Amino acid sequence: MRPDPTPNVAGAASLDQDRARLRDFIEAHPRLFVLTGAGCSTDSGIPDYRDTNGGWKRPQPVTYQAFMGERATRQRYWARSLVGWRRFGRARPNATHRALVRLEQQGRVATLLTQNVDGLHQAAGQQKVIDLHGRLDEVRCMACAHRTPREAFQHELVQLNPAWALLDANDAPDGDADLEGRDFSGFQIPPCPSCGGIMKPDVVFFGENVPRDRVDAAITSLNASDAVLVVGSSLMVFSGYRFVAAAARDGKPIAAVNRGHTRADPLLSLKVEQSCAEALAFIA
């Protein structure tokens, strides 16, 4: 007996309808405030944090307070980062990033605010980007603000910890790696070359405040936009959700492309539950 093709046909029809509604939404709103999350980068090989219900897939990321207050936490963080950076640092933009660049080139993106720290929007050619949570490709001293490229810091980590450079592990989000059951107590962390202070990735950790200038720039852009397009984010973190909530208070239409639950579901004018690349494939 031949299999019933109806489910595939129905699925294709649903995808086409979703794309049509999304196309209409974009065409109706020429000044989009685009907010992106981890779902944009999964096709680049960078894992995301949450499942389709918005829950954590793995233990929560390290907090700012633990990183700054505990040498053992910093040792664990940088050991995992040493292993994870090798692949994270080589990640390249995917079809979702390229579709959003085309949307900007068409003059339809007022600003792209990303919660990601991978720099892939800029690598794809996006111009109007606000990195809400910073960038992982730079390391900053928490005492004197000295900065160094993450690639150069990786070289120092490997020089001090050559045995760790031979390890491999499954990738985790944001340049991390799953190194469970290891003794991190002997891991050496390079101090700041200028003042000997604590070096930290130039990203906003959980429990840390987003710099005010970034928030202000995003709010200014949001106020100048006529609609919001969320791409690949469950919006479970308040630092991103707040902009969608503000748009809803102002009566701006909001569309979201995301598989599964988002914190803003009750606020959405349109929701497309497809992969980001599939949903945006019509943008040419």
Side-chain angles (χ1 to χ4, degrees):
M1 180 181 295
R2 297 173 64 184
D4 183 359
T6 303
N8 289 336
V9 172
S14 175
L15 176 57
D16 288 344
Q17 291 169 1
D18 284 343
R19 284 177 178 167
R21 286 192 286 266
L22 185 58
R23 182 188 298 111
D24 291 344
F25 181 90
I26 290 173
E27 290 180 352
H29 304 103
R31 289 190 57 79
L32 289 170
F33 180 89
V34 180
L35 173 60
T36 69
C40 282
S41 296
T42 52
D43 284 346
S44 295
I46 300 174
D48 54 6
Y49 281 109
R50 298 182 184 272
D51 58 27
T52 55
N53 295 317
W56 294 103
K57 291 182 177 180
R58 61 187 72 239
Q60 293 187 30
V62 64
T63 66
Y64 172 77
Q65 292 75 14
F67 183 91
M68 293 301 298
E70 303 164 3
R71 176 173 172 78
T73 297
R74 294 194 294 275
Q75 289 174 307
R76 180 178 182 273
Y77 177 88
W78 282 117
R80 291 164 60 101
S81 181
L82 182 155
V83 176
W85 176 259
R86 291 181 305 214
R87 281 191 288 267
F88 183 92
R90 295 197 301 267
R92 294 294 175 263
N94 62 57
T96 300
H97 300 106
R98 293 189 289 272
L100 292 172
V101 169
R102 291 193 292 271
L103 201 61
E104 181 182 70
Q105 291 170 342
Q106 294 169 10
R108 295 189 171 276
V109 177
T111 291
L112 187 148
L113 177 69
T114 184
Q115 300 169 97
N116 299 337
V117 295
D118 51 40
L120 292 181
H121 287 298
Q122 291 93 330
Q126 201 89 30
Q127 299 296 312
K128 302 173 184 176
V129 182
I130 298 174
D131 294 300
L132 183 64
H133 296 151
R135 290 273 295 268
L136 203 64
D137 58 2
E138 195 164 50
V139 182
R140 177 169 63 96
C141 174
M142 301 306 292
C144 73
H146 173 84
R147 295 173 185 270
T148 189
R150 177 63 181 81
E151 195 62 45
F153 197 74
Q154 176 77 357
H155 181 69
E156 293 184 64
L157 286 171
V158 170
Q159 282 192 318
L160 290 174
N161 306 278
W164 290 84
L166 302 177
L167 298 178
D168 199 6
N170 292 330
D171 292 334
D174 294 342
D176 201 1
D178 290 324
L179 290 178
E180 299 307 326
R182 299 276 177 179
D183 179 5
F184 301 101
S185 62
F187 192 86
Q188 300 297 308
I189 307 170
C192 172
S194 295
C195 74
I198 295 173
M199 299 297 286
K200 173 183 169 293
D202 196 19
V203 300
V204 177
F205 279 16
F206 277 79
E208 186 178 5
N209 292 326
V210 176
R212 188 70 232 177
D213 60 334
R214 293 180 203 164
V215 175
D216 290 344
I219 290 174
T220 298
S221 178
L222 177 63
N223 290 340
S225 69
D226 54 17
V228 173
L229 174 62
V230 179
V231 183
S233 176
S234 65
L235 300 170
M236 299 305 290
V237 178
F238 180 75
S239 59
Y241 171 77
R242 72 171 115 183
F243 298 102
V244 177
R249 288 194 298 271
D250 290 342
K252 296 181 189 289
I254 305 160
V257 176
N258 191 69
R259 279 182 166 160
H261 173 76
T262 83
R263 186 176 182 177
D265 279 355
L267 308 179
L268 301 179
S269 309
L270 169 66
K271 185 176 183 182
V272 177
E273 292 205 50
Q274 303 288 345
S275 76
C276 299
E278 288 177 329
L280 300 177
F282 67 89
I283 301 174

